[in-house]
Amino acid sequence: MAELRVAKAFIRRVAVYAEEHAIDLAAPSSEALGVRDSNKGVSQDGTSTALRIIKLQACFALTQRSTKQQAQREVERQQVAAATALQPVLAASFGQADTAIARQHDLCKVSDCIAAFVLPHISPSSANAHERVQNSFASIFSAASLPRLASLSKLEREVELKHLADITLGICLFSNCSPEDVSVEGRMDLESYLQLLEDAKQRCTLLQRALQDYTDAVVHRGSSEAPQETIMLQLSEELAYVHQAYALCQAMRDHLVAALGRIGQHHREQEQGLSELQGLIGAALAVPKDVVQPAFEALGRRHLVMLAEQQQLQLQPALIAAVTRCIDADTPQLAQELAAPGAASSIMPLAPIMDDSKGPSDPSDLAAAEAASGVVRIAASDAPESAVSHLSLAGFCPVSFVKRSGLLMKVDATVGFVRYEDQHFGCANKEFLDWFAASPQEYMDAVMSQAVQHPACIALLNLQSCFRDLSLDKLIEAVEAEPETLNGACQTELHPIAKHIDYRYEWNEWEHRRKALNMVNLRQKRTHGSQTILSHFRRENATQVWLPKGVASQTHVNKGQSMPRKLRHIAGLRGAPGVQMNVLNLELDLGQPYHR
């Protein structure tokens, strides 16, 4: 499993980080690294609860990374398709010819380009969709507009084509289109997403109930058992797991609510735009284009925004399914003997057992220490809502995390808050708030050290920016880059059966006789050898010469000339007695340059 590989790699990197920064990972911190002597706090596959928390975080990060890559690939595919559709119109030869046939051909190029832009964004079930797009485009662009389009630069031409595509899309959505083209509900199954949202809400409710049970159990045992006890360590780790599961489910639920809300808002704006266009056009035979075209363009752009929101929403079910599957496989169950006997308070008791070896010591004069620390007290009634909803450390108490060996307790908003270095902090009770206000910097340093000892809490406390070397995203990239190796083995027979087979055995008697005769004939043969000067047994000799250096020269003009050919022919040696001998001299001056 990829998430388990990432979790183990994260644990190894935490150990290296702790060694580099001289942070002691002694017990119980070694248990956070997956090493536990007892069987408590260990799942069926042998991993500790802390390792399962990191595994859950890695599962969410891996699935989110995969969905982002899938969305990026879809965007790149659309960009490539758009660039391919634009290529014929952006070519340098576009609009150069001035004949009627050439203009008609260029107009078809522009129309096909606009159709390639618009068709993927309307209902593919319409049989005459291409014809409707061409008719809509013909109403806003004609052959008379080609010279202006051809005179634009490449960048201006691309912007103009996208502008025409938005107007054409708006016209297609407005006129002669089915309701599925206008409404995004026809392109997606909203019922399934609403059911998915309902399931996420129910899961959040169940996890919130489990969170309350674990908190009550910790509060019940907090005043009687030390934080280093095995039972308290187990409860703290399981409480952290439930906190992490609830935080992820709550984030996915909020994302679904926001996405469905944006789609609904865009749909209402689309319907309002259609109503305004209907009132603007009505039964009029002609409407000025500077009035109606911006409305059509806005209609088309809103539709594209709705489709982009839909594509993002379609990636959420895979993310929710992966995280839910991981939560269901590793969610701890509170043992009956560890549960609180009654309805305990969800706020930390006033006198829990503390680990005084962790964190700063309590000053004798809290008021003077608080005045010197520079913190500002904020009453619960005066705290701004933005500060309450965005508390530092994700709304967990820093004092309980330091003094209670990594115990995560939510702050009590009724006791107020403190502002320190433009950050707002809260604590589980008023006493803890007084301690933190007296030594805020010392407690924050202790929180950083304690977070390394409990690495599963780094993401829960929103401390990723403080531990950039322990980033899960960078670790996932490193794990994906390294090759995956597997251990393989093969097993042979312990005592294989020996094969006593003579492959040279021959059953044919005449073959044996033939071999015998050949052997007898061979024994009667003699081998003679002699060496002569011309035999191949002579000594090998080798010589080496240096060939003359090849020299050539080349002139600007190569010319050739041949001498005249002279022939002599004697006639009259034979024939009648009165024939005289004649000597004929011929000079054939052929092949000269002036004969060419």
Side-chain angles (χ1 to χ4, degrees), residues 569-573 579-584:
H569 181 70
I570 302 174
L573 294 179
V579 176
Q580 296 182 357
M581 182 185 69
N582 294 320
V583 179
L584 179 62

Side-chain angles (χ1 to χ4, degrees), residues 16 47 50 85 182 205 208 319 331 337 353 379 499 520 544 571 577 595:
V16 174
T47 57
V182 180
T205 303
Q208 194 172 13
L319 175 63
T331 299
E337 62 271 13
I353 298 178
K499 298 180 180 180
V520 172
Q544 183 177 5
H595 286 163

Side-chain angles (χ1 to χ4, degrees), residues 230-268:
T230 305
I231 294 179
M232 290 303 299
L233 292 175
Q234 177 186 350
L235 287 175
S236 298
E237 291 181 358
E238 292 181 357
L239 176 63
Y241 186 93
V242 179
H243 271 301
Q244 182 64 76
Y246 178 71
L248 292 180
C249 288
Q250 193 176 27
M252 293 186 296
R253 180 201 64 189
D254 295 342
H255 185 81
L256 272 177
V257 171
L260 291 174
R262 287 193 300 268
I263 290 177
Q265 178 65 26
H266 291 316
H267 179 56
R268 288 189 292 272

Side-chain angles (χ1 to χ4, degrees), residues 345-356:
S345 173
S346 61
I347 302 176
M348 181 71 76
L350 293 178
I353 298 178
M354 296 294 178
D355 186 2
D356 294 332

Side-chain angles (χ1 to χ4, degrees), residues 46-362:
T47 57
S48 66
T49 306
L51 186 60
R52 283 182 286 157
I53 297 174
I54 303 173
K55 176 185 170 185
L56 178 59
Q57 297 168 357
C59 176
F60 180 79
L62 281 168
T63 312
Q64 195 173 39
R65 176 183 174 87
S66 176
T67 55
K68 287 181 179 179
Q69 290 176 348
Q70 184 178 354
Q72 182 64 27
R73 285 194 296 268
E74 179 63 22
V75 171
E76 291 176 355
R77 186 193 65 80
Q78 293 178 0
Q79 291 177 351
V80 170
T84 304
L86 283 172
Q87 193 61 34
V89 184
L90 296 181
S93 59
F94 176 80
Q96 297 299 322
D98 197 15
T99 62
I101 298 177
R103 285 195 298 270
Q104 188 63 30
H105 186 62
D106 291 341
L107 185 62
C108 291
K109 286 183 181 180
V110 179
S111 179
D112 293 340
C113 176
I114 298 300
F117 269 102
V118 175
L119 282 175
H121 305 303
I122 63 175
S123 177
S125 59
S126 303
N128 58 344
H130 192 276
E131 182 181 356
R132 288 191 287 109
V133 171
Q134 288 184 337
N135 293 336
S136 300
F137 174 68
S139 64
I140 61 172
F141 194 87
S142 62
S145 304
L146 284 173
R148 176 186 171 277
L149 182 63
S151 64
L152 300 176
S153 63
K154 269 192 174 184
L155 182 59
E156 293 174 343
R157 200 181 302 176
E158 183 177 354
V159 173
E160 182 67 18
L161 288 173
K162 291 181 179 179
H163 171 69
L164 293 174
D166 292 339
I167 297 176
T168 305
L169 178 59
I171 295 174
C172 290
L173 296 174
F174 176 76
S175 59
N176 299 328
C177 288
S178 59
E180 288 80 4
D181 288 330
V182 180
S183 174
V184 75
E185 297 176 356
R187 302 290 298 275
M188 60 183 297
D189 186 10
L190 282 181
E191 291 297 330
S192 62
Y193 292 100
L194 293 175
Q195 183 62 41
L196 192 66
L197 177 59
E198 188 63 29
D199 295 342
K201 290 180 178 179
Q202 292 179 2
R203 185 171 295 274
C204 285
T205 303
L206 294 176
L207 288 173
Q208 194 172 13
R209 193 178 306 160
L211 196 61
Q212 185 65 45
D213 293 340
Y214 271 102
T215 304
D216 292 342
V218 169
V219 170
H220 173 66
R221 292 181 174 271
S223 57
S224 59
E225 297 188 17
Q228 300 87 353
E229 295 293 334
T230 305
I231 294 179
M232 290 303 299
L233 292 175
Q234 177 186 350
L235 287 175
S236 298
E237 291 181 358
E238 292 181 357
L239 176 63
Y241 186 93
V242 179
H243 271 301
Q244 182 64 76
Y246 178 71
L248 292 180
C249 288
Q250 193 176 27
M252 293 186 296
R253 180 201 64 189
D254 295 342
H255 185 81
L256 272 177
V257 171
L260 291 174
R262 287 193 300 268
I263 290 177
Q265 178 65 26
H266 291 316
H267 179 56
R268 288 189 292 272
E269 293 177 357
Q270 195 78 331
E271 289 182 343
Q272 182 180 358
L274 286 172
S275 301
E276 292 176 356
L277 272 172
Q278 188 65 35
L280 181 63
I281 298 175
L285 298 178
V287 180
K289 66 177 183 179
D290 55 346
V291 176
V292 72
Q293 284 188 2
F296 283 131
E297 183 180 5
L299 188 67
R301 288 184 176 179
R302 278 196 299 267
H303 187 73
L304 294 178
V305 172
M306 281 198 300
L307 292 182
E309 290 286 350
Q310 173 193 342
Q311 291 176 358
Q312 293 294 328
L313 187 60
Q314 288 174 349
L315 300 175
Q316 292 303 308
L319 175 63
I320 295 176
V323 175
T324 302
R325 186 165 53 251
C326 188
I327 291 175
D328 292 340
D330 294 333
T331 299
Q333 299 294 330
L334 181 62
Q336 188 65 31
E337 62 271 13
L338 299 180
S345 173
S346 61
I347 302 176
M348 181 71 76
L350 293 178
I353 298 178
M354 296 294 178
D355 186 2
D356 294 332
S357 63
K358 303 290 182 65
S361 58
D362 301 334

Side-chain angles (χ1 to χ4, degrees), residues 558-580:
N558 291 330
K559 293 182 179 180
Q561 185 174 2
S562 61
M563 299 302 295
R565 187 177 179 184
K566 296 181 180 182
L567 298 176
R568 176 176 291 182
H569 181 70
I570 302 174
L573 294 179
R574 291 183 300 176
V579 176
Q580 296 182 357

